[in-house]
């Protein structure tokens, strides 16, 4: 039996380029730090080539974010709650409890 050709869907959008720009790196520098070619980085950022888990984790370390943020969070969206949540995660004790209670009350 001949192998079945699988049709792959389009790659989803990420914010990899936006985060690279946000931290002030050009493609050449970022690619060198990621240990990949500039061409491959360009293709990954343009959703023309898939990224690997290693690419994502390395980029997260270089850009100072969590891997999922590079996919989900737009650093240019000033109205986003993500940056606030990131700061809130650093709170401890009563400050953390108070903020959690405020958010929970607002969502009821």
């Amino acid at each position: 039996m001949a192998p079945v050709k699988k049709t792959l869907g389009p790659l989803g959008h990420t914010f990899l380029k936006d985060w690279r720009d946000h931290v002030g790196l050009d493609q050449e520098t970022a690619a060198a730090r990621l240990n990949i070619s500039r061409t491959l980085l360009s293709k990954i950022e343009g959703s023309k080539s898939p990224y690997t888990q290693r690419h994502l984790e390395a980029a997260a370390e270089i850009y100072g974010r969590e891997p999922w943020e590079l996919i989900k969070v737009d650093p240019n969206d000033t109205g986003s709650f993500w940056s606030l949540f990131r700061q809130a995660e650093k709170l401890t004790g009563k400050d953390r409890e108070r903020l959690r209670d405020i958010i929970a009350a607002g969502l009821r």
Side-chain angles (χ1 to χ4, degrees), residues 53-103:
Q53 184 71 24
R54 286 189 179 120
H55 293 143
L56 193 59
E57 290 175 358
E61 187 173 323
I62 292 166
Y63 303 159
R65 307 309 290 189
E66 293 296 323
W68 66 269
E69 291 177 285
L70 304 180
I71 298 168
K72 179 71 177 164
V73 179
D74 180 352
N76 302 309
D77 182 0
T78 57
S80 171
F81 284 100
W82 293 114
S83 63
L84 295 173
F85 287 137
R86 186 173 171 89
Q87 293 172 52
E89 282 292 322
K90 297 175 185 173
L91 295 175
T92 59
K94 296 286 185 194
D95 290 334
R96 186 181 179 97
E97 290 175 26
R98 188 172 334 127
L99 182 57
R100 187 189 60 232
D101 292 345
I102 291 168
I103 293 170

Side-chain angles (χ1 to χ4, degrees), residues 16-52:
L16 288 164
K17 179 188 182 312
D18 302 278
W19 280 109
R20 178 179 55 74
D21 289 341
H22 185 75
V23 299
L25 293 176
D26 60 28
Q27 269 190 344
E28 199 68 44
T29 303
R33 290 186 186 177
L34 291 167
N35 202 28
I36 61 175
S37 70
R38 190 209 53 79
T39 302
L40 178 56
L41 179 57
S42 177
K43 288 179 180 179
I44 292 170
E45 289 180 348
S47 298
K48 304 281 190 258
S49 182
Y51 57 83
T52 67

